[in-house]
Amino acid sequence: VMGVHVETFVETVVSIVVEHDPAFDPNTLEHRPSSSGKYLGLTLTVNATSREMLDALYVAFSSHPMVKVVL
């Protein structure tokens, strides 16, 4: 997930993930700022229990105004 590097971006992403995977451990989150520092890339590891869960996460991320890219 990538978005504009603002103070609340990480907290927002974590809250979306926890909504779909309550067992998600925020300590496993990997951060990678862009070279200019304007964007922040986050790598998340979730325990997906179904295709529907993955689809719901993708929709939640891609429809959020702070998120620019979802892979």
Side-chain angles (χ1 to χ4, degrees):
V1 177
M2 188 185 324
V4 177
H5 193 179
V6 294
E7 188 175 316
T8 57
F9 182 62
V10 173
E11 180 182 315
T12 300
V13 168
V14 168
S15 69
I16 291 171
V17 175
V18 169
E19 191 175 310
H20 297 278
D21 180 9
F24 175 72
D25 180 4
N27 294 319
T28 63
L29 198 63
E30 296 178 31
H31 302 75
R32 276 182 314 288
S34 65
S35 58
S36 67
K38 182 175 180 179
Y39 297 99
L40 180 64
L42 301 174
T43 300
L44 331 144
T45 303
V46 296
N47 184 20
T49 56
S50 68
R51 176 64 188 211
E52 290 77 21
M53 180 183 173
L54 285 177
D55 290 344
L57 270 168
Y58 182 83
V59 169
F61 283 134
S62 60
S63 63
H64 197 282
M66 293 178 81
V67 175
K68 302 301 179 198
V69 178
V70 181
L71 298 174

